[in-house]
Amino acid sequence: HGVNGVVDLYGVHSLEDPASRLALRVLAVPMQRRGAGRDELRAVVPQWWLRRVGREDMAAPPPFLMVHGVHDRFLSINGSRVFAAELSAARQRLGGASPRVPDVFLEVPGVGHGFNYFNTPAGYALSDAAAHFLRAVAAATPVPVSRL
């Protein structure tokens, strides 16, 4: 069935970004304990997949809602900006193919990493945006006949 939509909160997007590499090392510990190899570790990075779209039999990516605080000191917003630009370029590479739900990149001013864990207007707005996006994804996703 696959993934119909992605809500990406201040994510790790790139293997080239130093802050992302540090975060990946933290993520890699439990994965390596499970026996994950290098390819499995790369596969958790959206940019790695995105660069293979249109090649290696990779399908078009699902719609993304990307949200990143402008003042994030843990993961630089630049990684999200680069990924958003690459996502747009990948869609163009596929002949302008876009999902039925558009990609959205929200740069949230005045907040840092993990802002959604606090009862603030920005946190509530993120909850509303994610719910709206996921409703749109659900409405655009055909229900398999086997589930009717």
Side-chain angles (χ1 to χ4, degrees), residues 30 76 138:
S76 169

Side-chain angles (χ1 to χ4, degrees), residues 48-49 52-60 94:
W48 185 83
W49 284 97
R52 284 152 185 78
V53 168
R55 298 179 297 243
E56 301 180 27
D57 199 30
M58 292 285 185
L94 293 170

Side-chain angles (χ1 to χ4, degrees), residues 62-126:
F64 270 75
L65 168 62
M66 298 161 279
V67 181
H68 208 123
V70 172
H71 299 293
D72 191 333
R73 293 183 188 181
F74 182 64
L75 288 170
S76 169
I77 193 169
N78 291 332
S80 291
R81 289 174 177 150
V82 168
F83 178 72
E86 287 191 10
L87 180 60
S88 177
R91 297 217 190 277
Q92 292 303 314
R93 222 176 32 245
L94 293 170
S98 62
R100 293 171 65 186
V101 176
D103 298 312
V104 178
F105 177 38
L106 302 174
E107 295 188 24
V108 185
V111 299
H113 194 81
F115 71 88
N116 61 308
Y117 291 113
F118 303 100
N119 295 324
T120 64
Y124 294 131
L126 171 58

